[in-house]
Amino acid sequence: MVSPPKMLSLCSSLPPCSIAIFSKSNTDGFRSSSPSHRLRLRPISASQILTPAIDRSAIILSETVSENELWAAACLRVRTFNELNPSSYNIQDHRKYLAEREFEALKERVSGKREGFTRVSCVNATLPLSQLSSTSSEDLCSACKYSDGIEDRVVVGSLDLNQCRWLPDEIAGTKPEGFSVDFARAYLSNVCVAKELHRNGVGYKLIEKSKVVAREWGITDMYVHVTVVNEAAKRLYMKSGFVEESAEPAWQARYLNRPQRLLLWLSLPNS
């Protein structure tokens, strides 16, 4: 097992998961797990956050292969999808434990070792560390920093693009039908944006990048799950072209002890 990069030791103290202002895979764009390990979404009002001024042209969106960057993405997901009391005993150790679980699960998915998935890509949005020097971003920089060999950068947004028939414990899409379903359907999961960067267009850029990758894979139909109460996520996805296809039965949501989900669909015609 590969040890997490030492430079991100802040998370040496945090498991695996849809957008987190919005969806281990979390829906709302985030990774399904058994009910006992399900992570709760934590919608955050952007009005409650002091958003630093950034140069949006400095944001880089790319598929991730570096383990250092995968670790930073895992740390971002942990700080986004988990409600942790800062005064709790050994919180740093718990954060490290959670991050290590997500890191290993993410590596397994991206390497093609997860059964039921044809292909998985982790798409990240990153900024130079120098763009996030304000006090309000100190925790984000410490937790989600990595080096690309040229400069220090920070993962400020992340999602998974999953080429598969369905995600575990989630509503399955209906398009396309027939043989092509094995290679032409994909789902977004674990969509998250650092709370410090809300309202900077990061979520929209992530989804647009995922469309580009999906078309390269030959995907014609893309799906994402979102909780019915997550208005910020629904607005983002609908702005990106998604429309509602179906809703999770209320009984299923109660059985899985989670908020009810909607399944949103996007057509990706070859252009």
Side-chain angles (χ1 to χ4, degrees):
M1 165 177 156
V2 179
S3 299
K6 293 181 180 179
M7 65 180 181
L8 295 170
S9 58
L10 175 71
C11 287
S12 60
S13 48
L14 302 174
C17 353
S18 313
I19 257 176
I21 57 173
F22 320 116
S23 39
K24 53 187 124 352
S25 307
N26 244 345
T27 58
D28 283 13
F30 317 46
R31 185 176 62 254
S32 298
S33 63
S34 62
S36 62
H37 293 134
R38 189 170 304 283
L39 301 181
R40 291 187 297 167
L41 300 184
R42 183 181 50 172
I44 300 171
S45 170
S47 63
Q48 298 174 320
I49 299 165
L50 179 61
T51 305
I54 63 168
D55 178 3
R56 297 188 185 188
S57 66
I59 299 174
I60 292 179
L61 296 113
S62 61
E63 296 181 80
T64 307
V65 292
S66 154
E67 288 199 357
N68 283 347
E69 189 175 342
L70 286 176
W71 171 256
C75 290
L76 176 64
R77 296 174 185 193
V78 167
R79 77 192 294 272
T80 301
F81 299 132
N82 293 268
E83 295 180 358
L84 300 174
N85 186 339
S87 63
S88 297
Y89 177 70
N90 275 349
I91 187 173
Q92 294 302 320
D93 288 337
H94 185 53
R95 283 179 175 168
K96 177 183 179 181
Y97 163 74
L98 294 178
E100 288 174 343
R101 280 187 55 191
E102 174 61 16
F103 176 62
E104 293 301 326
L106 185 53
K107 285 198 301 178
E108 181 184 33
R109 295 195 301 275
V110 170
S111 65
K113 296 178 181 179
R114 179 65 63 87
E115 185 177 354
F117 292 80
T118 303
R119 192 183 323 186
V120 177
S121 179
C122 173
V123 179
N124 286 341
T126 68
L127 274 170
L129 180 62
S130 59
Q131 283 278 323
L132 296 164
S133 57
S134 67
T135 303
S136 62
S137 303
E138 184 176 344
D139 177 68
L140 172 65
C141 294
S142 298
C144 305
K145 180 179 69 174
Y146 73 98
S147 174
D148 64 3
I150 300 175
E151 63 179 348
D152 287 340
R153 299 188 67 86
V154 179
V155 175
V156 296
S158 185
L159 63 75
D160 291 339
L161 176 64
N162 308 274
Q163 186 178 23
C164 57
R165 288 193 172 210
W166 57 73
L167 293 178
D169 293 334
E170 300 295 354
I171 322 164
T174 60
K175 303 178 184 69
E177 299 179 343
F179 175 75
S180 61
V181 68
D182 289 318
F183 58 84
R185 181 187 298 169
Y187 297 84
L188 299 181
S189 64
N190 298 307
V191 184
C192 61
V193 174
K195 61 182 182 291
E196 294 87 348
L197 272 295
H198 288 182
R199 292 189 172 180
N200 273 290
V202 177
Y204 183 79
K205 287 176 179 289
L206 276 171
I207 294 171
E208 291 305 300
K209 176 62 177 181
S210 71
K211 292 179 187 178
V212 173
V213 176
R215 286 193 176 98
E216 292 173 352
W217 291 1
I219 300 298
T220 60
D221 298 89
M222 181 185 291
Y223 287 93
V224 67
H225 299 86
V226 60
T227 57
V228 295
V229 297
N230 198 336
E231 295 300 329
K234 288 190 287 186
R235 285 195 300 270
L236 171 71
Y237 295 132
M238 290 179 179
K239 176 183 177 182
S240 300
F242 285 86
V243 295
E244 182 178 340
E245 178 174 288
S246 60
E248 178 181 43
W251 66 263
Q252 182 174 326
R254 289 195 298 270
Y255 175 76
L256 294 172
N257 190 30
R258 69 184 188 190
Q260 187 178 15
R261 267 88 154 125
L262 298 176
L263 179 63
L264 308 183
W265 165 75
L266 173 70
S267 175
L268 284 176
N270 293 325
S271 56

